[in-house]
Every structure is written in structure tokens, then in C-alpha cells.
Amino acid sequence: MSLCRNLFFQTRPINPLLTPRILPFQRVISYCPTAGTSDSNLLDSDDDRCISSNNVKRKGSYSWNGKKDKRKKTWVCNQCGATTGQWFGICKACRAMNTMVEFKEALEENNGKVSGFKVSEAAVRSWFKEAGASVPSSLADVSKGMNQSEWRITLPGLVGMEISRVLGGGVVPGSLILVGGDPGVGKSTLLLQISALLSEGFCGSNSGRILYVSGEESIDQIGNRADRLNITTADIFLYSSTDIEDIMDNIQVLSPQALIVDSIQTVYLRGVSGSAGSIMQVKECTSALLRFAKQTNIPVFLIGHVTKTGDIAGPRMLEHIVDTVLYMEGESSTSYRLLRSVKNRFGSTDELGVFEMSNTGLQAVLNPSEMFLSEAVSGSDISVGLAIAVIVDGSRTFVLEIQALCLTGSTTTKQCNGIDSARSSLIIAVLMKQAGLKLQDNAIFLNVVSGFKMIETAGDLAIAAAICSSFLEFPIPNDVAFIGEIGLAGELRTVPRLEKRISTISKLGYKKCVIPKSSEKQIASLNLDITILGCRNLNEVIDNIFQMD
Ligand code: TYD
Ligand code: MG
């Protein structure tokens, strides 16, 4: 270390203006002898003004042997993956602030350069087909009227049907599927269940071997989980490793029909800079697995961690590399789990899988429409401060219970749970101005039962109705539902997929539905056992619902 330091000071002239700082400077600057980490090779331990001074950082850094480090430096945005030749405070591509991270190419033993592409290519080379160079093929030769249902690997059972629906009809051979979600939401459980379903789905063929590679848990821990899930098949093989090359080499004897990697943030490629989970490692490992999937036609599932903001950790380009991105959502306080497709090269993203986490893993929810209704609604006839909203998420309809509590003399002004705060402020303002409700002296608490996050504006009318009900202390009968968006003039606006919403609540036994007047024509042809009440604005709703007969 001292040799390095001497070399450094011999080759770098010191700015005379900084001479009073030499002592602390010598104390704080030290070399990080490891090449190939994503951070700069210079470490400061005390004062960052020293490290950013002209003398040191701007004129380039030095490698551990004291020679000038000639490795090419780039700055990569850790949000969108955009690359630039210099550092910017704001990413030019996605405008995110302070997201540019410095990268240096890794050094080979002979100090030659090595590219991430070559490393990831080498890792999977043993799997490549022996066939000669590929040539362009005619579309007529490639697509031979393939039957989609035969082409895809279907997953049996109710859970399998739910997962297949989200994937667009089944697992596509050779596809790379990324499953993200909060810690503990049930990603590993889902993937272990998918492994069991895949091995069943393959049962017609000779071998339905599925390989589950975990870098997070030991094989005993996965075995315990499998016991809990009552998975007994001998076709699932467990392997605990984090080295992609080791995984590729060791699984060859097995010739699996599907590969599961738990998680992409724990695996690494030798020769690529950075530790496991760093932007470069995640990108190159995913690229290697993509090449593996495409060359072998074996579907690969990856589990991805998410960041605090809910995005999959690692470069944004990760989502561009893979074929399908699924997010698993759910509150830790509830047992419901939603599997949502946000990108799918082989199907629609308008799909949602609904599950319940039970003692024996994830179970499919057959009738999700009513799963967010509380017992208060189904048990009693009338309740104060409760209104029913009908929300469409993906292709599913959900009936939600909105609760409001207006309290005079409280120090809090407003608190929302499951409702966008800005949207609720707008609705409260419209109720005050256009419907004449004197809400200004009230603290208003709003809640969506069961932890569902309501984003759709179709729930506006139900929020307003719940507030009116609590403020006026006037209960709403529990067989009335509210659908509609509220405009600033207090008018009710039409919402999409009204027929779908109304037929769902009609099937659930609701007797009356308040909708915008302008939408009445749309549903005139529906022959349903439900009374439709069309209203032009909030005043009409209040006159019709909150008046004694
Ligand atoms: P896990 O799949 O380990 O989550 P992740 O991989 O997303 O971190 O699931 C962890 C949670 O799921 C844990 O809180 C326990 C719960 N769980 C059940 O409720 N029932 C089960 O049968 C299993 C296997 C897990
Ligand atoms: Mg896990």
C-alpha cells in the first residue's frame, strides 16, 4: 500500500494551494487494489473535497500497480441503462437525477480487455447447437400454421390455469420470464409451484425434468418448502449455486425441460466487473440466460428483486432483454396475491392472476369479484359511511368497499388508505363547492377494504357517496353500487367497460346501480335484474340516494 502511495505522489504534482491539506490528504486517500469493481479505484475515507480536487480525480485514476489506468470509463444510468461518456447529474435519457454510475471494463489476467458479451457468450457456449452458420429463413418455412395451444406448454390445475392466463395461454418454449415482487410476497413459492406444474405439463414426453437453481436458499430449505406445498414429484431437481458458468456446466447432464433461477441478483459471471447484483452483472447474466433459452428452446424463469420504488432492481434494460415481465403484488397484511403481466412478447398485458396464499401455498381465487368485500357489507342491511365501487383491473372486475369517516374537531385534516390523496382532495373540494357540503371543519378518513389500491377514476362516485353518507349520517343500503368519474363541475362522467361492471354486480345480487346519465344508452340492451339510476351530477345523486322516501 505504501509503495502505491509513493508512486502516486511521485507522479502526481501537488497543487501548492492544497499543501496545507497534505497531511489529512495522505491520511484519507488510499488505493483499492481490486480491479473491476463498479466504483472508482480511489476510496476516500474522510473528506470528499480531497478526492474531488483537481489533483486527483479529474486527471484520471491509477491501477493497483501504479500505472495509469487506461480502461475505458463509461457512466451508466441505473434507472434506464443509458450510457454516456461523461458524468451528468441528470440522465439525458430518462431525466432521473443522480443515477449515473461509473463503470470500467474488467481486466483480464493479461491486462487485455474483455467484453461482457464475450463472457456471457462463453458461459453458455457449451449449450449451443452444433449446426453450421444460420441463414435467413423464409416466413413460409418458419410459420407452418402452428397451433398455439399445442405450441405452448400448458400448466394443469386451477393455479396452472391462472398462471397460463397471465402468460397469454401457457409457457412459450424458449422464453425468458422475469417475476418481480416485494420480499416475502411469495415469488419463490410461486416458482416452486410452477416447477411442479411444468413437470406435470411435460408428463406426456419422456422427461419432464425441471431444474430449480437457488442462490438464496439451500436445497434443504427449498425441500422444506416443497413439503409444505405437497410437491412430491421426482422430476424437480434442486441446485444451489450462484456461478452461471457452474450452473450451465453442471446442469448439462440433466437436460432439463425448464430452468428456474432464484434470483437474478444473486448470480454472477466470472470476468464481468462488479459483484453479484450490480448493474453489469445483472445485465450480462440475463443476456447469457436469454441466449441459453433461445438456443435450447428451454423456458427460463428468473426471480427479480424490486427496489424501494417497486421497480425490478438492476438496470431498466433488464425488462427490455426478457420476453415477459410479471409482477407479484399483495399486502403483507392480507393473503391475496395478484400476478400481473406488464410486458409480454407472446400475449396481452391486460391479464391478472388472482391467488390466495394459504398454508399449502398459492391457491387460485375462482370468484375474485367479491373477495375485497368485508363481512360488514354482506352481513348487515345498511351501513353509514360505506359505499360500493366497481373497478376493472386487467380483464378482472373487483367490487370494493369504500369507507369514509367524517369527524368534527379533529386535528388531522385528511387520511387516505388505498385511495390517491390528490384524487380524494379533488372529490372533497367538488363536494364542498358543487354539492354544498360543509366539510371544511371535518377530518376525513378514507379507506379501501382489504388493502386494494384504487387507481381507477371509476371509483370517484363511490368515494363521494361514502363521504356524503358519513357526513350526513345517512346509511346507504348495502345492495346499491356506484360507478362513475367525477368532474370539477360536479358532473358524472362515463367510464369504460360499463357493461362488464354492471353484469358483475348484477350476478353478485346488487339491486341498484348509480351511473352517469350519459352512459344509460350503452347498457340499455343489457337484460339484467338490476335497477339503473342515471344521474347527471352529484346533486342528483344526493337527491336520489340521501333523501328519506
Ligand atoms: P416466499 O416465496 O419465500 O417469498 P419471496 O420469495 O417473494 O421472498 O414466501 C414467503 C412468504 O409466504 C412467507 O411469509 C410465508 C408465506 N407462505 C405461506 O403463507 N404459505 C406457504 O405455503 C408458503 C410456502 C409460504
Ligand atoms: Mg424468495
Side-chain angles (χ1 to χ4, degrees):
M1 185 63 70
S2 62
L3 176 69
C4 296
R5 210 177 276 159
N6 289 341
L7 274 169
F8 177 76
F9 285 109
Q10 278 162 21
T11 49
R12 309 298 303 159
I14 293 171
N15 185 338
L17 292 174
L18 291 174
T19 36
R21 297 192 60 85
I22 284 178
L23 271 177
F25 186 76
Q26 282 175 328
R27 183 169 56 80
V28 296
I29 301 286
S30 60
Y31 278 106
C32 171
T34 50
T37 57
S38 57
D39 302 313
S40 162
N41 279 351
L42 282 167
L43 298 177
D44 67 334
S45 60
D46 191 356
D47 187 346
D48 47 358
R49 276 174 299 169
C50 294
I51 196 129
S52 60
S53 70
N54 289 343
N55 275 26
V56 183
K57 189 128 188 220
R58 292 209 191 134
K59 293 195 177 173
S61 52
Y62 288 75
S63 61
W64 62 272
N65 55 9
K67 288 185 184 161
K68 187 161 184 189
D69 189 350
K70 291 184 181 165
R71 285 181 288 164
K72 193 181 162 204
K73 269 196 234 168
T74 48
W75 277 260
V76 181
C77 170
N78 62 17
Q79 286 282 318
C80 69
T83 309
T84 57
Q86 70 177 92
W87 184 85
F88 290 101
I90 297 177
C91 169
K92 285 187 161 183
C94 69
R95 314 302 301 166
M97 286 184 67
N98 278 333
T99 52
M100 304 305 286
V101 184
E102 184 187 319
F103 274 108
K104 283 179 193 161
E105 286 158 350
L107 287 177
E108 264 186 348
E109 276 163 22
N110 61 3
N111 270 2
K113 285 178 186 169
V114 64
S115 79
F117 173 78
K118 280 189 190 148
V119 175
S120 58
E121 180 89 4
V124 292
R125 189 164 297 137
S126 57
W127 282 87
F128 288 3
K129 286 176 187 151
E130 293 290 306
S134 64
V135 287
S137 316
S138 153
L139 177 63
D141 297 336
V142 176
S143 82
K144 299 189 179 81
M146 211 182 282
N147 183 337
Q148 286 285 320
S149 55
E150 283 172 21
W151 178 49
R152 288 174 187 259
I153 308 152
T154 46
L155 303 175
L158 294 173
V159 175
M161 261 168 54
E162 207 65 9
I163 298 164
S164 298
R165 173 218 294 275
V166 180
L167 290 171
V171 181
V172 172
S175 59
L176 184 60
I177 300 157
L178 178 65
V179 182
D182 287 331
V185 76
K187 302 179 293 296
S188 305
T189 308
L190 175 77
L191 268 289
L192 196 55
Q193 285 185 257
I194 290 181
S195 313
L197 295 169
L198 273 170
S199 73
E200 256 184 81
F202 278 118
C203 62
S205 61
N206 300 339
S207 119
R209 290 174 184 160
I210 313 297
L211 182 71
Y212 189 107
V213 179
S214 180
E216 302 203 338
E217 290 160 297
S218 69
I219 54 173
D220 291 331
Q221 287 167 329
I222 308 166
N224 274 339
R225 181 179 290 127
D227 278 347
R228 202 169 160 185
L229 302 174
N230 296 327
I231 297 173
T232 49
T233 172
D235 283 333
I236 298 179
F237 289 79
L238 307 174
Y239 189 52
S240 187
S241 176
T242 51
D243 182 346
I244 289 272
E245 282 161 68
D246 168 57
I247 296 167
M248 290 294 148
D249 290 345
N250 286 313
I251 66 173
Q252 214 153 12
V253 277
L254 199 67
S255 295
Q257 297 278 15
L259 172 65
I260 287 156
V261 179
D262 184 1
S263 65
I264 191 64
Q265 280 82 14
T266 54
V267 289
Y268 70 93
L269 268 170
R270 286 177 239 153
V272 170
S273 61
S275 51
S278 69
I279 294 179
M280 226 47 170
Q281 282 287 4
V282 169
K283 180 180 161 246
E284 293 305 340
C285 290
T286 314
S287 305
L289 290 166
L290 179 79
R291 252 171 259 139
F292 168 79
K294 301 297 165 199
Q295 290 286 336
T296 56
N297 230 14
I298 294 174
V300 178
F301 288 82
L302 307 177
I303 289 182
H305 295 168
V306 293
T307 60
K308 265 190 238 159
T309 53
D311 297 319
I312 291 183
R316 226 356 175 355
M317 68 181 97
L318 179 61
E319 297 189 25
H320 295 293
I321 299 172
V322 300
D323 295 313
T324 304
V325 182
L326 307 179
Y327 273 93
M328 198 167 182
E329 299 169 2
E331 294 288 315
S332 50
S333 53
T334 67
S335 57
Y336 292 111
R337 301 287 180 266
L338 304 178
L339 188 66
R340 191 187 297 281
S341 147
V342 292
K343 171 188 171 177
N344 193 355
R345 287 193 180 138
F346 314 110
S348 148
T349 50
D350 194 21
E351 283 300 349
L352 190 71
V354 185
F355 303 91
E356 189 172 3
M357 183 65 92
S358 70
N359 283 341
T360 51
L362 294 159
Q363 309 290 336
V365 175
L366 296 180
N367 193 357
S369 306
E370 52 195 314
M371 71 186 195
F372 294 115
L373 287 181
S374 73
E375 281 162 23
V377 165
S378 38
S380 66
D381 284 347
I382 44 175
S383 335
V384 172
L386 299 184
I388 300 297
V390 190
I391 298 299
V392 174
D393 193 341
S395 60
R396 297 297 187 81
T397 316
F398 296 97
V399 179
L400 302 181
E401 184 193 343
I402 313 292
Q403 300 178 314
L405 179 68
C406 298
L407 194 68
T408 43
S410 167
T411 47
T412 323
T413 50
K414 194 187 64 179
Q415 206 156 358
C416 299
N417 185 17
I419 296 170
D420 178 44
S421 180
R423 194 77 205 160
S424 62
S425 301
L426 185 147
I427 295 165
I428 293 166
V430 173
L431 278 171
M432 284 158 66
K433 176 83 179 168
Q434 311 295 0
L437 259 62
K438 298 206 170 358
L439 293 166
Q440 50 270 31
D441 302 329
N442 281 259
I444 299 174
F445 298 87
L446 294 169
N447 178 41
V448 180
V449 170
S450 298
F452 192 93
K453 292 219 169 10
M454 195 168 72
I455 301 157
E456 253 206 323
T457 51
D460 287 359
L461 186 54
I463 299 173
I467 296 173
C468 287
S469 169
S470 175
F471 181 70
L472 303 171
E473 298 199 351
F474 194 106
I476 301 172
N478 75 349
D479 57 359
V480 180
F482 296 85
I483 306 171
E485 181 181 325
I486 295 176
L488 288 183
E491 81 279 16
L492 300 193
R493 298 177 155 270
T494 191
V495 295
R497 305 205 212 173
L498 197 63
E499 299 92 329
K500 193 179 169 83
R501 295 174 207 257
I502 292 189
S503 40
T504 304
I505 50 167
S506 167
K507 277 184 215 150
L508 290 175
Y510 286 83
K511 292 284 170 253
K512 196 186 238 181
C513 184
V514 185
I515 62 164
K517 187 94 183 160
S518 53
S519 308
E520 268 182 331
K521 282 185 267 114
Q522 268 182 51
I523 50 156
S525 56
L526 287 181
N527 191 14
L528 297 170
D529 182 23
I530 187 165
T531 311
I532 300 295
L533 179 65
C535 295
R536 281 188 186 82
N537 51 41
L538 278 177
N539 285 324
E540 278 190 33
V541 177
I542 294 172
D543 290 348
N544 280 292
I545 301 289
F546 301 98
Q547 297 290 340
M548 294 288 183
D549 291 332

